[in-house]
Amino acid sequence: MADKKLKVTLVRSSIGAVPKNKKVLEALGLHKVHSENILPDNDATRGMLRRVSHLIKVEEA
């Protein structure tokens, strides 16, 4: 997993989401719909992505 990156895009709104999931999105750097962020591919990031997988789209960067 050395120096791999993931491109994460918010595709659904966080309105109505569980408050814990909203905080996860904020920690991932996703604020508005269609906002994107490039994150390192590690276990901590993968765990956060799994929690909000229904709101995001993930691609390899």
Side-chain angles (χ1 to χ4, degrees):
M1 280 195 223
D3 119 310
K4 289 188 179 181
K5 302 285 184 179
L6 298 173
K7 180 180 172 185
V8 183
T9 306
L10 184 62
V11 294
R12 294 195 57 197
S13 174
S14 63
I15 295 174
V18 177
K20 195 169 188 177
N21 288 356
K22 289 182 181 184
K23 292 199 182 264
V24 170
L25 289 173
E26 186 178 332
L28 290 171
L30 303 173
H31 302 288
K32 295 182 177 183
V33 177
H34 301 295
S35 63
E36 299 176 344
N37 200 1
I38 297 183
L39 302 165
D41 185 8
N42 57 34
D43 292 338
T45 304
R46 288 280 180 168
M48 292 178 10
L49 297 178
R50 195 172 301 119
R51 182 175 269 298
V52 293
S53 62
H54 58 289
L55 301 174
I56 59 173
K57 178 176 73 171
V58 180
E59 303 170 344
E60 287 191 22

